[in-house]
Amino acid sequence: MTTTVDAVVDCIWQANASLGEGPLWDAADGVLHWIDITAGRLHRLDLAVGKQATVNVGEKIGCIALRDGGGLVAGLRSGFAFLDSLTGAIAPINDPESALPTNRFNDGAVDPLGNFWAGTMDDDETAPSGNLYRLEPSGAVSLMRSGFVIGNGIDWSPDGTTMYFTDSTRRRIIAYDFDTTSAEISGDRDFAWLGEDDGFPDGLTVDAEGGVWSAVWDGHRLLRFSPDGELERTVAVPVPRPTSMAFGGEGLSTLFVTSARIGLDPTALDAAPLSGGVFAIDVGVRGLPARTYLG
């Protein structure tokens, strides 16, 4: 049975981001990182003191993750790179799509073995040229799957044996068996679908109980699926285009949600003036710590 939850949703940064994405909680510093993809900006919020900071990266930035050596690892328009979170300085690692100039990296996450996974997409959102890559700590890149228009949210079950990946244009979330020794994936299967009038699944995160959360672009809501793919909970948000989520804060009990205003007409923006903001929600369940790329 699906439950609609009337949670308290606080806007903690009314940023008016064009395409806010990639929230990432750094527990060591008590900082929430997030990005504005199209503006090429990396944002930082020190939650304890409410201090906001922004740096320009200089190109579209699709995803970020914590790096064991300090700073961040990122998927940029120009490929995988290390990223200084304070200055925006870039150190390139590998560009697996140098021959695909209309593609860019989109969402990504670190697996239980310390590899960084990221999907790419056609920037015009029409061609199935998107791919799913695995960046190993050595810097080697492996092509894992292909044929997506928009490769999106990625995360793993608490025991690490299932990987979830969002195929936004087809309105589906895919589940894979994940080998916790080799980091190979197999057993591709549909985990969840959205209907034609239900919006598009975007960013994804998994909570400590194994619930799979999906932000619904053009859906005004977040969805929580049980580990067997049943829709268990719906949480309304005050913007039509929530984009991604991450648990953080004290005890990982707060769900941070990014959003977008890109493509919304003046009427829609008048109805949802907080579009492009970042929100904090207590959804009654805790999250898992952000994993760190070991490169």
Side-chain angles (χ1 to χ4, degrees), residues 210-233:
V212 179
W213 291 82
S214 178
V216 184
W217 178 276
D218 283 343
H220 253 110
R221 68 196 188 283
L222 316 174
L223 304 178
R224 183 184 190 257
F225 297 93
S226 65
D228 61 4
E230 293 297 317
L231 180 58
E232 178 266 344
R233 189 180 313 177

Side-chain angles (χ1 to χ4, degrees), residues 8 12 14-15 51 70 85 92 104 108 115 141 159 181 184 188 198 242 245 263 273 287 293:
V8 176
I12 58 173
Q14 192 171 351
K51 182 180 179 181
S85 61
R104 67 165 175 83
N115 304 291
V141 175
D159 66 2
T181 300
E184 296 293 331
D188 310 25
D198 293 336
M245 302 155 292
Y293 172 63

Side-chain angles (χ1 to χ4, degrees), residues 71-168:
L72 305 172
V73 62
L76 307 174
R77 181 64 180 261
S78 60
F80 288 113
F82 295 129
L83 179 61
D84 188 310
S85 61
L86 298 178
T87 67
I90 296 169
I93 303 171
N94 192 314
D95 182 8
E97 300 207 333
S98 57
L100 296 172
T102 64
N103 268 20
R104 67 165 175 83
F105 272 98
N106 198 33
D107 216 334
V110 176
D111 72 23
L113 300 179
N115 304 291
F116 183 46
W117 293 65
T120 61
M121 60 174 281
D122 172 30
D123 216 2
D124 294 327
E125 302 181 11
T126 56
S129 58
N131 300 296
L132 176 62
Y133 294 98
R134 184 186 68 204
L135 174 67
E136 300 171 17
S138 66
V141 175
S142 298
L143 174 62
M144 306 305 292
R145 293 293 186 273
S146 59
F148 308 101
V149 177
I150 302 176
N152 224 316
I154 308 171
D155 207 352
W156 284 259
S157 59
D159 66 2
T161 62
T162 302
M163 187 181 98
Y164 303 98
F165 175 64
T166 304
D167 181 1
S168 288

Side-chain angles (χ1 to χ4, degrees), residues 170-173 192-201 214-217 221 223 225:
R170 296 186 180 99
R171 292 186 169 90
R172 65 173 180 161
I173 299 171
W193 286 88
L194 269 66
E196 255 188 57
D197 299 323
D198 293 336
F200 299 86
S214 178
V216 184
W217 178 276
R221 68 196 188 283
L223 304 178
F225 297 93

Side-chain angles (χ1 to χ4, degrees), residues 22-35 42-44 61 63-75 80-86 93 108-111 113-117 135-137 246-248 252 288-295:
L24 173 67
W25 176 249
D26 183 346
D29 293 338
V31 166
L32 178 72
H33 302 281
W34 63 283
I35 57 180
L42 172 65
H43 301 286
R44 173 187 176 99
I61 173 171
C63 52
I64 53 175
L66 301 177
R67 181 191 175 200
D68 187 49
L72 305 172
V73 62
F80 288 113
F82 295 129
L83 179 61
D84 188 310
S85 61
L86 298 178
I93 303 171
V110 176
D111 72 23
L113 300 179
N115 304 291
F116 183 46
W117 293 65
L135 174 67
E136 300 171 17
F247 284 93
L252 300 175
L288 297 165
R291 302 181 189 91
T292 301
Y293 172 63
L294 297 182

